[in-house]
Amino acid sequence: MGFATNDDAGIYRLTEDIALVTTADFITPPVNDPYIYGQIAAANAINDVYAMGGRPIACLNLAAFPIKKLHVSVLHQIIAGALSKITESGAVLAGGHTIEDDEPKFGLAVTGLVHPKKFWPNSGARSGDVLILTKPVGSGVIFNAHIKGWVSQRAMEACIVTLTTLNQKAAAILADFEIHAATDVTGFGLAGHAFEMAKGSDVLLEIDMDQVPVMMESLELYEKGVTTGVNRHNRLLVEKSAIFEKGLPRWHEEIVFDPQTSGGMLISVPESQGAAVLKALQAGGVKDACFIGRAKEPKQSLNLIFK
Amino acid sequence: MGFATNDDAGIYRLTEDIALVTTADFITPPVNDPYIYGQIAAANAINDVYAMGGRPIACLNLAAFPIKKLHVSVLHQIIAGALSKITESGAVLAGGHTIEDDEPKFGLAVTGLVHPKKFWPNSGARSGDVLILTKPVGSGVIFNAHIKGWVSQRAMEACIVTLTTLNQKAAAILADFEIHAATDVTGFGLAGHAFEMAKGSDVLLEIDMDQVPVMMESLELYEKGVTTGVNRHNRLLVEKSAIFEKGLPRWHEEIVFDPQTSGGMLISVPESQGAAVLKALQAGGVKDACFIGRAKEPKQSLNLIFK
């Protein structure tokens, strides 16, 4: 695959029925707990393979660690957290690389397998499709506010449960259906990743703001004026191709620009299968999954409408 | 493969005749020129696949970049340098991940292929084998001294030519011979990587200090008292299992602890094939290749003798 559609991972065909999915991702710590940091960083990297419809098989640690400032047991905890998610995914940890650094960074390079004719691009949405999102958004602003003590323990815990969840179940359930396009929502926010899907698919995505699932306290934080360092950039990336129709206050709009780590899958499926897909996801434990909009014929240069 | 022998990369069997080799490596800049930095970092990562007898097929950039301090064209140059080596290796660049950081780091996650019964472990050396090293050592001290202006331009250029050279030719030539063990010499220095080979193979490696190829000016730098931040650590790792028999001055010993980036391959081959292997390497353009010692029966806890 080429780079034109900014897909979540690279695909390399090995044989008639085996293709490799390769992806790498690493992050600075969004939380203080090293084990949870490892879990989130690993889920974030592995989820790129699920976003392509693939199955992760082998992971490498990518670690930068301030060994003079922090005890090595902290690094061990990070790796233990990552290993818990690697093992849950059915993959193995095959090695990795660590360098000394002023500030910790951690992530994985992940190799997965997918059938070369059955992977899910992010660019196959068709007019008439319905859109499903499998996790709520808002983790970016929650992490930022948490540093300042502005997030309740309950909201923080709910956010961590969401982010440490692999998109494995979702991907396994979706494999039984006709998936036109799939991606996972990460750093560019819901708007950015929906924009890539819309542009790559040459459709207009209409997203219903009332339906977008949001994390506990995240909208209230935007209302109070909290934001992230990335929201402005994420808005700039899409604003020429997007409109907000509903006349929402600007702070409310920010939720679609909120950068996600280990976010949910955004999926475009035929309308005829939509209800069955959603029912299967919810019955299979992907309880936050919901419809958030539909794909339509493009209108001039417009790719996104938030209703 | 497991972790017991600290091999250069992970191996994952996909089918009867296809196994994946996965490896990741990233480094801080050893030189100021961003294009050369990219070349060295890429060669350093890709060489781990050659060290297993594999063929690289897909690479991902792993980049950390101070976008507020350096122009983005510097990052482009780094990636262009890496791409030149990826292309030379026959692999493709399939994507990657970049984060903002105070200081640049760059490397690759590399996926390669190898036959599951034909890969080269670092732990298969047998008593009676001869040892070949394909590149000179000394780049660690040269880089350290270069920052202070203590290295001639000629020596620096020779060092860069060596480090930007893939071990591709060497690996292709070696594939025609019976290779008992192979590794590439990197951060732990010749002593560290030879120690891993010796311990994993349960043999004693006898290395002839007069035969070890050294980079121009590197020994002189150690004689003047220059060293690297890693030499002491590399010596500590092996000193209980190694002896220097010749009564060399301590500064001379340091060359085997000099950490390499994109170093040569250390290979253990049957004595009966040694001359043919060396001749083929030199005829094939691996001109620095030379015999540096032999493998013998272990003596108590001793794994390394430097004669």
Side-chain angles (χ1 to χ4, degrees):
Chain A
M1 284 191 63
F3 294 106
T5 57
N6 292 318
D7 226 316
D8 303 295
I11 298 273
Y12 188 99
R13 194 175 75 174
L14 275 188
T15 69
E16 280 300 303
D17 52 5
I18 302 178
L20 294 181
V21 186
T22 61
T23 184
D25 216 317
F26 43 95
I27 57 174
T28 52
V31 292
N32 283 326
D33 183 306
Y35 188 85
I36 293 172
Y37 172 31
Q39 289 192 309
I40 293 174
N44 184 53
I46 294 170
N47 280 342
D48 280 331
V49 174
Y50 294 126
M52 305 298 288
R55 176 170 68 85
I57 59 167
C59 303
L60 300 168
N61 288 329
L62 308 172
F65 191 76
I67 192 68
K68 285 168 191 150
K69 286 192 273 180
L70 293 174
H71 194 266
V72 69
S73 63
V74 175
L75 179 59
H76 293 166
Q77 281 291 304
I78 296 170
I79 294 174
L83 190 56
S84 76
K85 289 291 145 182
I86 293 168
T87 305
E88 182 183 335
S89 80
V92 295
L93 180 61
H97 189 67
T98 303
I99 60 170
E100 196 179 334
D101 200 351
D102 286 339
E103 173 192 46
K105 281 127 205 159
F106 186 80
L108 300 175
V110 187
T111 303
L113 301 180
V114 72
H115 193 288
K117 289 180 181 156
K118 292 180 189 163
F119 68 88
W120 304 329
N122 69 347
S123 58
R126 299 180 205 168
S127 173
D129 283 358
V130 291
L131 302 174
I132 293 173
L133 182 65
T134 68
K135 284 184 182 180
V137 293
S139 60
V141 75
I142 286 179
F143 284 136
N144 247 20
H146 176 65
I147 298 166
K148 293 158 186 150
W150 297 342
V151 179
S152 73
Q153 194 182 334
R154 193 160 147 258
M156 191 63 195
E157 282 171 4
C159 172
I160 286 172
V161 167
T162 298
L163 267 62
T164 55
T165 300
L166 293 171
N167 290 334
Q168 181 177 24
K169 267 188 203 166
I173 292 163
L174 294 170
D176 292 334
F177 295 93
E178 184 185 348
I179 306 300
H180 284 166
T183 191
D184 61 340
V185 176
T186 52
F188 297 116
L190 176 60
H193 294 279
F195 171 70
E196 291 294 343
M197 182 178 285
K199 202 177 54 150
S201 309
D202 195 23
V203 295
L204 170 73
L205 295 188
E206 202 178 80
I207 292 174
D208 189 334
M209 291 295 284
D210 291 337
Q211 301 297 316
V212 173
V214 296
M215 290 188 185
M216 195 188 305
E217 298 179 14
S218 60
L219 266 180
E220 291 83 343
L221 287 166
Y222 278 115
E223 186 171 11
K224 284 177 191 160
V226 190
T227 185
T228 82
V230 186
N231 277 59
R232 193 169 150 270
H233 173 76
N234 284 350
R235 185 188 280 268
L236 277 173
L237 280 179
V238 308
E239 67 182 355
K240 283 187 183 158
S241 317
I243 51 170
F244 285 87
E245 276 198 340
K246 209 180 176 176
L248 290 171
R250 195 169 165 101
W251 62 259
H252 193 145
E253 294 175 7
E254 290 300 321
I255 194 73
V256 302
F257 302 115
D258 184 272
Q260 305 305 294
T261 302
S262 185
M265 290 179 71
L266 173 64
I267 312 135
S268 186
V269 297
E271 190 176 14
S272 60
Q273 296 202 22
V277 172
L278 190 62
K279 197 177 155 190
L281 283 169
Q282 289 173 342
V286 188
K287 60 177 177 43
D288 291 315
C290 58
F291 290 124
I292 64 160
R294 58 209 67 74
K296 297 194 161 182
E297 294 295 333
K299 282 185 190 168
Q300 291 105 28
S301 67
L302 197 63
N303 284 121
L304 288 176
I305 295 180
F306 295 96
K307 294 187 74 158
Chain B
M1 283 191 65
F3 294 105
T5 58
N6 291 317
D7 227 316
D8 304 294
I11 298 271
Y12 189 99
R13 194 175 76 174
L14 276 188
T15 69
E16 280 299 303
D17 52 4
I18 302 178
L20 294 181
V21 186
T22 61
T23 183
D25 216 318
F26 44 94
I27 57 174
T28 53
V31 291
N32 284 325
D33 183 305
Y35 187 85
I36 293 172
Y37 172 31
Q39 288 192 309
I40 293 173
N44 184 53
I46 293 170
N47 280 343
D48 281 331
V49 174
Y50 293 126
M52 305 298 289
R55 175 170 67 84
I57 59 167
C59 303
L60 301 168
N61 288 328
L62 308 172
F65 192 75
I67 192 68
K68 285 168 191 149
K69 286 193 271 181
L70 293 174
H71 194 267
V72 69
S73 63
V74 175
L75 179 59
H76 293 166
Q77 281 290 303
I78 296 169
I79 294 175
L83 189 57
S84 77
K85 289 291 146 184
I86 293 168
T87 305
E88 181 183 335
S89 80
V92 295
L93 180 61
H97 188 68
T98 304
I99 61 170
E100 195 178 335
D101 201 351
D102 285 339
E103 173 191 47
K105 281 128 205 157
F106 186 80
L108 300 176
V110 187
T111 303
L113 300 180
V114 72
H115 192 288
K117 288 179 181 158
K118 291 179 190 164
F119 70 87
W120 303 329
N122 70 346
S123 58
R126 299 179 206 169
S127 173
D129 284 358
V130 291
L131 302 175
I132 293 172
L133 182 64
T134 68
K135 285 184 182 180
V137 293
S139 60
V141 75
I142 287 180
F143 283 136
N144 247 21
H146 176 65
I147 298 166
K148 292 157 185 149
W150 296 342
V151 179
S152 74
Q153 194 182 334
R154 192 159 148 259
M156 191 62 196
E157 282 170 5
C159 172
I160 286 171
V161 167
T162 299
L163 268 61
T164 54
T165 300
L166 293 171
N167 289 333
Q168 181 177 25
K169 268 187 202 168
I173 292 162
L174 294 170
D176 292 334
F177 295 93
E178 184 185 347
I179 306 300
H180 284 166
T183 191
D184 61 341
V185 177
T186 53
F188 297 115
L190 176 60
H193 294 278
F195 171 70
E196 291 294 342
M197 183 178 285
K199 203 177 54 152
S201 309
D202 195 24
V203 295
L204 170 72
L205 295 187
E206 200 177 81
I207 291 173
D208 189 335
M209 289 297 283
D210 291 338
Q211 302 297 316
V212 173
V214 296
M215 289 188 186
M216 194 188 304
E217 298 179 14
S218 60
L219 267 180
E220 292 84 341
L221 287 166
Y222 278 115
E223 186 171 11
K224 284 177 193 162
V226 189
T227 187
T228 82
V230 186
N231 276 58
R232 193 170 150 270
H233 173 76
N234 284 349
R235 185 188 280 267
L236 277 173
L237 281 179
V238 309
E239 68 181 356
K240 283 188 185 158
S241 317
I243 52 169
F244 286 87
E245 275 199 340
K246 209 180 177 178
L248 290 171
R250 195 169 164 100
W251 63 258
H252 193 145
E253 295 175 6
E254 290 299 321
I255 194 73
V256 302
F257 303 116
D258 183 273
Q260 307 304 293
T261 302
S262 184
M265 290 179 71
L266 173 65
I267 311 135
S268 186
V269 298
E271 189 176 16
S272 60
Q273 296 202 22
V277 172
L278 189 63
K279 196 176 157 192
L281 283 169
Q282 289 173 342
V286 188
K287 61 178 177 38
D288 291 316
C290 58
F291 290 124
I292 64 161
R294 57 209 68 72
K296 297 194 160 180
E297 294 295 333
K299 283 186 189 166
Q300 290 104 28
S301 66
L302 198 62
N303 284 120
L304 289 176
I305 295 181
F306 295 96
K307 295 188 71 157

